[in-house]
């Protein structure tokens, strides 16, 4: 497939690109500027998500778009507008964990102990999910990582959930960038979560 990755130069985006290439997909990487050490088999296009026309032009002709950006720095409504205009049939969004529930009706972000310094990113991430849930045109999937999300091993062993925060046997809620990328590419290749959110964790 032709997979466009918006935010391909970021920590998660790089792993998604690597996973897609390992599965022999064609990757179109979209960022404001291309890095100097990009794999030779990646096609780079420059686009600013604040400009829906530029976003649409960069995405047109691809089978899937993946959005992997910081929500606090992104006008999500304008980004969605660009995706709609492109005609790309499917959108996968690298989401946040704060909108997951720790108990029925109790969202992580709303708990008194939730760190204030994370809220500037977590709050717009939840708003983006709410925006997608009211979306009538796009076939979207929002993928929330576990609470601890960072570089690690590509194990291929993890669990999927729906709206509840996943906690491993060690009591931690965590997933590596590498295993998250596997789950995302699995969803691209075999769609199971159309127009909904799911989460991945150990």
């Amino acid at each position: 497939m032709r997979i466009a990755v918006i935010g391909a130069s970021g920590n998660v985006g790089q792993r998604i690109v690597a996973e897609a290439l390992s599965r022999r997909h064609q990757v179109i990487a979209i960022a404001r500027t291309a890095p100097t050490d990009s794999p030779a088999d990646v096609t780079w296009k420059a686009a600013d998500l604040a400009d829906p026309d530029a976003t649409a032009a960069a995405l047109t002709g691809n089978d899937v778009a993946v959005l992997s950006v910081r929500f606090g720095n992104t006008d999500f409504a304008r980004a969605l507008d660009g995706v709609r205009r492109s005609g790309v049939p499917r959108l996968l969004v690298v989401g946040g964990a704060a909108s997951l529930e720790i108990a029925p009706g109790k969202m992580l972000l709303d708990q008194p102990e939730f760190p204030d310094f994370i809220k500037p990113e977590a709050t717009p991430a939840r708003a983006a999910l709410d925006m997608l849930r009211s979306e009538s045109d796009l076939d979207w999937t929002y993928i929330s990582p576990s609470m601890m999300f960072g570089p690690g091993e590509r194990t291929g062993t993890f669990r999927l959930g729906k709206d509840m925060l996943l906690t491993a046997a060690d009591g931690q809620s965590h997933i590596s960038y590498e295993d998250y990328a596997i789950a995302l590419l699995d969803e691209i290749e075999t769609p199971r979560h159309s127009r909904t959110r799911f989460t991945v964790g150990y």
Side-chain angles (χ1 to χ4, degrees), residues 2 28-34 43-47 57-60 62:
R2 285 177 55 90
I28 293 80
I30 299 171
R32 289 180 180 173
T33 56
T43 300
W44 281 89
K45 292 187 177 182
L59 291 177
T60 297
N62 293 294

Side-chain angles (χ1 to χ4, degrees), residues 157-192:
T157 302
F158 48 80
R159 295 180 294 149
L160 302 183
K162 186 69 174 68
D163 292 315
M164 295 293 293
L165 185 72
L166 294 174
T167 303
D170 61 6
Q172 301 295 312
S173 175
H174 56 127
I175 189 70
S176 70
Y177 293 148
E178 290 77 6
D179 279 339
Y180 178 96
I182 294 176
L184 187 143
L185 264 295
D186 286 349
E187 178 65 23
I188 288 177
E189 294 178 344
T190 308
R192 294 190 177 94

Side-chain angles (χ1 to χ4, degrees), residues 84-154:
R84 283 191 211 95
R85 296 187 195 187
S86 74
V88 169
R90 190 143 188 257
L91 171 67
L92 285 85
V93 177
V94 176
S99 57
L100 292 166
E101 297 180 347
I102 56 173
K106 293 186 177 181
M107 202 173 292
L108 184 62
L109 177 58
D110 297 330
Q111 303 313 301
E113 64 273 17
F114 190 86
D116 286 337
F117 74 93
I118 302 178
K119 288 181 179 178
E121 176 66 13
T123 301
R126 176 171 64 179
L129 176 59
D130 291 340
M131 197 177 301
L132 287 169
R133 283 172 168 162
S134 64
E135 174 64 42
S136 59
D137 297 325
L138 292 172
D139 183 3
W140 59 272
T141 301
Y142 184 101
I143 308 175
S144 287
S146 291
M147 192 184 310
M148 303 299 293
F149 189 33
E153 294 183 30
R154 184 188 185 281

Side-chain angles (χ1 to χ4, degrees), residues 2-34:
R2 285 177 55 90
I3 301 174
V5 182
I6 305 170
S9 58
N11 288 325
V12 185
Q14 291 180 49
R15 271 73 171 191
I16 293 169
V17 168
E19 184 67 26
L21 291 175
S22 75
R23 302 184 188 205
R24 301 187 181 280
H25 294 292
Q26 185 176 355
V27 175
I28 293 80
I30 299 171
R32 289 180 180 173
T33 56

